[in-house]
Amino acid sequence: MSSSEQSGWVTETGDLQAAQQAQLAANTPPPYQAWWAPVAGVTHGVGIALATGPLLYKADGPAWKLALLVATIAALSTFPVMCAVRVLRMQVRPWPPRGTTRQRTLLEGLPMVAYGVAALTFLAFGVSVGAIALGFLGGGSLWWRETRKNALRSEMVATLKALGRTE
C-alpha cells in the first residue's frame, strides 16, 4: 500500500469516526430535571388510582364527582403534557433510548410487569386494594423508568467523552 493510499484511508477513518461522534452527540438528549421523575410518577399513580378506584364512582353529589373527575383527568394528562413540552423545547424528535437490548427490554418491560402484578391484585383483593396497588406500582414504575433514562443518558455522555468529544 502506498503512502498516499494509506493517508487516504486514515483520513476516511477519521471522517467516519467524526461522523459517528457527531451522530451520537446529536442523539444525546439534554438531561431530565430532578423534579421530572417524581412528578411523572406521582401524578400518574394518583391518576390511575383515581380512575380505577371506587372513589370516583361512589362520590356523593355531582360537585364531588366533577371535582374528582377533573383531578383524575389533570393527573393523567400531566405526564403527556410534560413530554410534549420537552419535545417542543428540544425542537427535535427524540430517538428511542440508546443502550443494549437488555437495557431497553428492562426499561420497557419492568413497567409492564408492574401493571401485571397490579392486575393480579385487582383479581385477588378487589377494586379498592387493586386501585391502590395500581397507583403505587404504575406510578413507581414510571418514576423508575424516567430516572433510568437519565442514567442511560449519562452513559452516552461518558461514551462521547471516551471518544474524545465533550458536549
Side-chain angles (χ1 to χ4, degrees):
M1 180 184 280
S2 71
S3 65
S4 64
E5 289 176 348
Q6 189 174 6
S7 68
W9 179 78
V10 170
T11 304
E12 289 173 2
T13 304
D15 291 344
L16 181 59
Q17 287 176 345
Q20 289 172 337
Q21 290 174 355
Q23 181 184 15
L24 188 58
N27 289 337
T28 303
Y32 289 100
Q33 294 84 359
W35 55 265
W36 179 275
V39 169
V42 169
T43 57
H44 181 70
V46 168
I48 60 176
L50 285 174
T52 59
L55 186 61
L56 177 62
Y57 308 106
K58 293 182 179 180
D60 292 332
W64 275 110
K65 275 192 177 185
L66 180 63
L68 286 171
L69 182 63
V70 168
T72 302
I73 292 170
L76 287 175
S77 64
T78 300
F79 182 62
V81 168
M82 286 171 37
C83 290
V85 168
R86 179 175 167 82
V87 167
L88 291 173
R89 279 190 181 164
M90 287 172 40
Q91 298 179 347
V92 295
R93 299 285 182 232
W95 286 83
R98 297 181 80 88
T100 64
T101 302
R102 181 182 167 276
Q103 288 172 328
R104 289 191 312 264
T105 302
L106 184 64
L107 185 68
E108 301 301 331
L110 189 64
M112 298 310 297
V113 170
Y115 286 112
V117 169
L120 293 175
T121 306
F122 266 99
L123 295 174
F125 299 105
V127 175
S128 296
V129 174
I132 292 169
L134 182 61
F136 276 108
L137 291 173
S141 66
L142 181 63
W143 187 331
W144 173 83
R145 181 175 169 246
E146 294 303 308
T147 302
R148 184 69 189 127
K149 284 182 181 177
N150 255 358
L152 288 175
R153 183 204 176 274
S154 297
E155 290 173 13
M156 289 191 305
V157 169
T159 302
L160 277 173
K161 287 182 180 177
L163 291 173
R165 180 179 177 129
T166 58
E167 288 187 290

